[in-house]
Amino acid sequence: MLSYLFVVIILGGLIAVHELGHLLVAKLCRIPIAEFSIGFGPKLIGRRWGETTYRISAVPLGGYVLPALDEQGFRERPATRRILFALGGPFANVVAAFAGLLALGVVEFGLSAVNAAVFATTQLWTSLQQLAFALSTLFVDPSQISGIVGIVAIGGAQFGSTAAGLLSFSVLINLNLAVLNLLPLPPLDGGRILFCLLEKVYRPLARMQTPVTLLGWAFVLALMVYATIQDVGRIATGMFA
């Protein structure tokens, strides 16, 4: 059971890394942030520094960065800054994945710093290619989709028994968070970037962002329910063992 707890902690931490990436880029781009939360739901602890309230919430597997602007005010920010803000989270996950691969190279394989950097770069590129191919197959066979339940089950069973395994798991999850969030589907980061580009082509298209985002949320929630049902079925039949 301890291995599953480690997996949950790592998963929550990597989501926090993603949100922290958004926060840091927002600060650099001078986008005011009202609230930064690790987790969702009721506040456990929180403190305000400057214009931003930092909080830890009750549900650990999630988080958000809330700009101190309404939708119209946010859209009035330069498109370049909004795109950078959206890229901040995926970029943070890629950097964290690279750091994890560096650590694996040095600690697990005894590589020098230079060789570890080469190893990390090569593995990062190979893993991104494999992940892109795996994503393309999901459209053909959606039964392979897994949600949070499946990720924890797989992580605990296959990666959670050793430090090297947990490090490999963190690399895999970081890359998944980066790539999945860059899909051009609102409300994901890739969807926000898509609308920033579309409004450059034809500005009235920006008005469609809110209704399309609501539809996107409905699709994502339905997909999460479907994935959870799939995961529970796999656990019941011992497929994750």
Side-chain angles (χ1 to χ4, degrees):
M1 289 297 294
L2 195 58
S3 63
Y4 293 97
L5 177 60
F6 287 150
V7 165
V8 171
I9 292 171
I10 288 173
L11 185 57
L14 298 183
I15 294 172
V17 166
H18 181 91
E19 299 304 330
L20 184 60
H22 286 307
L23 176 69
L24 293 176
V25 173
K27 297 293 186 181
L28 290 172
C29 292
R30 298 182 180 179
I31 296 174
I33 299 299
E35 195 165 273
F36 169 75
S37 177
I38 297 175
F40 289 111
K43 180 177 70 174
L44 297 179
I45 58 174
R47 184 170 179 179
R48 185 177 183 86
W49 279 299
E51 65 184 3
T52 306
T53 298
Y54 300 85
R55 57 182 278 176
I56 296 177
S57 301
V59 183
L61 297 179
Y64 59 87
V65 178
L66 181 65
L69 300 166
D70 59 20
E71 192 67 29
Q72 183 59 37
F74 185 72
R75 288 176 188 167
E76 290 173 356
R77 297 281 162 158
T80 303
R81 294 188 183 187
R82 285 181 284 138
I83 290 173
L84 288 174
F85 175 62
L87 288 173
F91 180 74
N93 286 125
V94 171
V95 171
F98 183 79
L101 287 167
L102 274 177
L104 272 175
V106 173
V107 176
E108 184 69 10
F109 303 118
L111 300 176
S112 66
V114 173
N115 287 336
V118 173
F119 166 80
T121 303
T122 303
Q123 289 298 312
L124 186 67
W125 177 244
T126 301
S127 297
L128 287 171
Q129 288 179 308
Q130 292 173 342
L131 183 56
F133 175 76
L135 281 175
S136 68
T137 64
L138 291 180
F139 294 100
V140 179
D141 185 11
S143 65
Q144 300 303 311
I145 294 174
S146 277
I148 296 293
V149 174
I151 290 170
V152 173
I154 293 171
Q158 299 183 17
F159 298 99
S161 59
T162 65
L166 289 171
L167 201 53
S168 297
F169 174 75
S170 73
V171 170
L172 179 63
I173 296 302
N174 268 313
L175 294 180
N176 271 271
L177 284 171
V179 172
L180 288 173
N181 272 283
L182 286 174
L183 292 176
L185 171 69
L188 302 178
D189 297 322
R192 297 190 184 102
I193 294 170
L194 175 63
F195 269 97
C196 285
L197 298 175
L198 287 176
E199 72 179 49
K200 285 291 186 182
V201 177
Y202 184 57
R203 190 165 183 81
L205 287 174
R207 300 172 187 169
M208 296 184 62
Q209 184 169 355
T210 298
V212 172
T213 297
L214 291 174
L215 288 173
W217 272 117
F219 173 76
V220 169
L221 290 173
L223 193 62
M224 289 173 63
V225 171
Y226 170 79
T228 300
I229 293 171
Q230 290 278 102
D231 290 338
V232 171
R234 293 181 186 123
I235 291 172
T237 56
M239 290 181 65
F240 288 143

